[in-house]
Amino acid sequence: MDINKMKDLSYDELRTLYREFLHSQNISKLTINTAYVDTFYLWRKGSKDLFWDAVIATDFENVARNGLIKALTENSTGNVKSLVNSYLSHLRRFRLFLASNGTANPTAHEREK
C-alpha cells in the first residue's frame, strides 16, 4: 500500500495494520502493546497532520523530536527529555513499517538484528 493510501486510512484502520506488522516482527507482546499506543502519540495529542508531517519528513529526526517535545510539554507531567526518546524510537519503527509498504516481513527485521 502506498503512503498516500495509508494517509487516507482512519486512525483505527492504520493502527490495525501496524499491529499486524508488529506481531510479525518477533518482539515481545509488551513491546507490541506499548508501540501500538505510543507510536500514535502525536496523532492523539496533536493531529493527524502533525503525525504524518513528522513521520514522512525528510528531516525526520528533528521534525519528529520537535513535535514530540511540544506535544509532551503541553500534555505530559513526566520528564519530557526522557520521554521524547521513547516516543521517537516508536516513530522510527513505524517508518520501517512504511518502508515495508505496510506488509509484514519478518525476514527483513531479522536481517537488521
Side-chain angles (χ1 to χ4, degrees):
M1 182 180 305
D2 75 31
I3 191 81
N4 289 320
K5 289 182 181 175
M6 291 183 109
K7 287 171 72 174
D8 288 339
L9 295 174
S10 72
Y11 177 78
D12 290 331
E13 290 169 328
L14 185 61
R15 287 180 71 207
T16 298
L17 281 178
Y18 187 52
R19 181 173 220 135
E20 291 170 11
F21 171 80
L22 291 171
H23 279 286
S24 77
Q25 298 302 296
N26 193 29
I27 54 180
S28 76
K29 186 174 182 177
L30 183 59
T31 300
I32 289 170
N33 290 338
T34 302
Y36 183 69
V37 174
D38 289 0
T39 299
F40 299 95
Y41 185 83
L42 281 176
W43 190 322
R44 287 191 327 274
K45 298 298 183 178
S47 69
K48 179 179 182 176
D49 290 337
L50 179 64
F51 171 81
W52 281 110
D53 289 349
V55 167
I56 64 173
T58 304
D59 187 14
F60 165 74
E61 291 289 328
N62 287 322
V63 172
R65 181 177 301 280
N66 291 336
L68 285 165
I69 289 170
K70 184 177 186 305
L72 286 163
T73 300
E74 293 171 358
N75 297 290
S76 176
T77 58
N79 181 335
V80 170
K81 288 183 180 182
S82 66
L83 290 171
V84 74
N85 290 325
S86 175
Y87 286 105
L88 195 54
S89 71
H90 291 295
L91 289 175
R92 284 186 200 108
R93 182 173 286 150
F94 185 79
R95 284 171 54 98
L96 291 175
F97 164 70
L98 292 178
S100 75
N101 292 317
T103 60
N105 186 354
T107 54
H109 179 69
E110 289 303 316
R111 276 182 273 169
E112 281 178 21
K113 288 183 180 176

